[in-house]
Amino acid sequence: MKTLRKIIFPTAGMGTRFLPATKATPKEMLTIVDRPLIQYGVEEALAAKMDQIIMITGRGKRAIEDHFDISAELEANLKQAGKSELYKEVSRVARMAEVIYVRQKEALGLGHAVLRADHWINDEPFAVSLADELIVGAKPAMQQLREVYEQTGHSVLGLMQVPEDQVSKYGIVDYVAEDNGLLRLTDMVEKPSLKDAPSHLAIVGRYVFTPRLMELLRDVKPGKGNEIQLTDAIALLAKEEPVYGVLLDGERFDAGNPAGFLVANAVLGMNHHLYGEEFKQILKAHLD
Ligand code: UTP
């Protein structure tokens, strides 16, 4: 089995649910407490030993490249001002990963974004992570997927149970539970009505694929909204080879929309080692 080291972050979407905040700022650069969403995603990937990072960007996404780049002037200023903790953090972020940036010139869907990385995959397995879905927990979500990949050698999708009234917002899977406790996926339905949903298990923005997925993606025709859908390629893959699901341990925040984003900031803010106590007190004063 080939080692899993590559990970694709599609960040070229329009972020329309978050306008006007995302008019000039990439959605992935919106901040949860003290760092942008994309940094959470990259740190999760690195913790799971996925260190060959391919970021799919588009127009107006330069801030992402700058965030992971060295700012010599800023580092010199912080050092000179004796702000050693901030200096350490800023230089850590600039050096945490080598990133390849690939442009998606038109936002033609998640599948189209992933396909932009085709040239860099070289017949190796690869992960895909959607950074606006923030998943926090004791074990990084990507590590949980890695373990199932290493156990099976097959593709793995991150799943979470969603409440009944949320089922129609997600890609929902059907599955058989195998004797070894793994979930082998047998079907996927994009945004089903509750009565048509085969389960309440949703696909939540974390994937590991065998290289075959990329080949299949090349032949997927544009579907709904003229977009190339990643789920269409996954459905084709599942017809050819096993695709597993892993029920993720952790808490998930849909930070790509304002309500989920606010909840993420509130929960991570209250638990933050530096700001948590003060934040809770201020919040309590507002609620009283
Ligand atoms: P989303 O649908 O959540 O992102 O896509 P979006 O399109 O930016 O958001 P809305 O719906 O307009 O508010 C999931 C992920 O796929 C990326 C997005 O950046 C996001 O991280 N994406 C989506 C692309 O990179 N390219 C695309 O063409 C579409």
Side-chain angles (χ1 to χ4, degrees):
M1 184 193 319
K2 288 187 182 166
T3 312
L4 174 62
R5 292 194 60 189
K6 295 189 154 82
I7 182 162
I8 302 171
F9 285 93
T11 66
M14 308 277 270
T16 41
R17 283 167 299 164
F18 234 121
L19 284 168
T22 45
K23 186 176 172 211
T25 303
K27 175 171 70 173
E28 298 75 14
M29 286 302 293
L30 297 179
T31 303
I32 306 290
V33 189
D34 61 352
R35 62 196 65 185
L37 278 165
I38 190 67
Q39 188 180 328
Y40 287 92
V42 167
E43 292 193 274
E44 180 192 316
L46 295 176
K49 298 197 171 58
M50 298 174 192
D51 56 359
Q52 296 182 4
I53 295 173
I54 305 156
M55 200 84 71
I56 312 299
T57 67
R59 259 188 310 284
K61 302 280 181 170
R62 271 283 303 281
I64 298 176
E65 296 182 39
D66 289 343
H67 185 70
F68 292 105
D69 198 3
I70 292 174
S71 168
E73 196 186 343
L74 175 63
E75 290 184 17
N77 283 344
L78 290 171
K79 217 173 179 176
Q80 211 174 10
K83 297 183 173 167
S84 62
E85 286 307 311
L86 285 178
Y87 166 75
K88 262 193 260 167
E89 183 57 11
V90 164
S91 70
R92 182 183 75 87
V93 172
R95 290 161 183 83
M96 67 171 47
E98 284 300 326
V99 185
I100 293 168
Y101 294 94
V102 182
R103 282 262 178 166
Q104 184 191 22
K105 292 182 184 168
E106 287 177 281
L108 294 177
L110 179 56
H112 184 263
V114 170
L115 192 54
R116 296 306 97 207
D118 192 4
H119 175 73
W120 301 97
I121 293 305
N122 296 331
D123 206 30
E124 282 181 44
F126 61 96
V128 175
S129 179
L130 307 186
D132 58 347
E133 304 212 25
L134 179 61
I135 303 175
V136 289
K139 190 186 276 189
M142 271 303 176
Q143 177 61 26
Q144 299 178 50
L145 270 78
R146 169 187 280 289
E147 286 170 10
V148 177
Y149 168 73
E150 286 176 350
Q151 194 179 339
T152 63
H154 292 296
S155 301
V156 191
L157 313 189
L159 304 174
M160 278 189 162
Q161 185 93 25
V162 291
E164 279 193 352
D165 62 343
Q166 300 279 312
V167 156
S168 62
K169 294 185 178 164
Y170 291 93
I172 301 291
V173 299
D174 200 359
Y175 60 91
V176 287
E178 293 190 340
D179 293 344
N180 51 15
L182 296 175
L183 307 180
R184 191 166 55 75
L185 305 185
T186 53
D187 200 8
M188 268 147 274
V189 197
E190 200 52 57
K191 302 188 171 77
S193 64
L194 184 57
K195 74 172 177 28
D196 293 329
S199 74
H200 292 174
L201 292 186
I203 304 170
V204 293
R206 299 291 184 278
Y207 315 80
V208 168
F209 294 117
T210 59
R212 178 72 181 138
L213 189 276
M214 208 51 109
E215 293 172 359
L216 292 169
L217 207 43
R218 286 180 209 146
D219 294 329
V220 169
K221 299 279 170 293
K224 219 161 107 193
N226 204 28
E227 293 193 343
I228 295 181
Q229 305 288 348
L230 183 63
T231 31
D232 289 351
I234 303 175
L236 292 173
L237 184 70
K239 288 199 178 113
E240 287 188 7
E241 54 183 57
V243 174
Y244 287 94
V246 56
L247 196 50
L248 292 173
D249 224 1
E251 197 171 356
R252 171 182 164 277
F253 303 95
D254 185 2
N257 74 72
F261 176 82
L262 290 171
V263 175
N265 261 305
V267 174
L268 271 69
M270 285 191 291
N271 291 321
H272 195 273
H273 66 289
L274 288 179
Y275 316 121
E277 284 313 310
E278 187 186 351
F279 179 51
K280 275 190 276 191
Q281 277 176 22
I282 298 171
L283 211 53
K284 192 166 177 300
H286 275 280
L287 292 171
D288 284 346

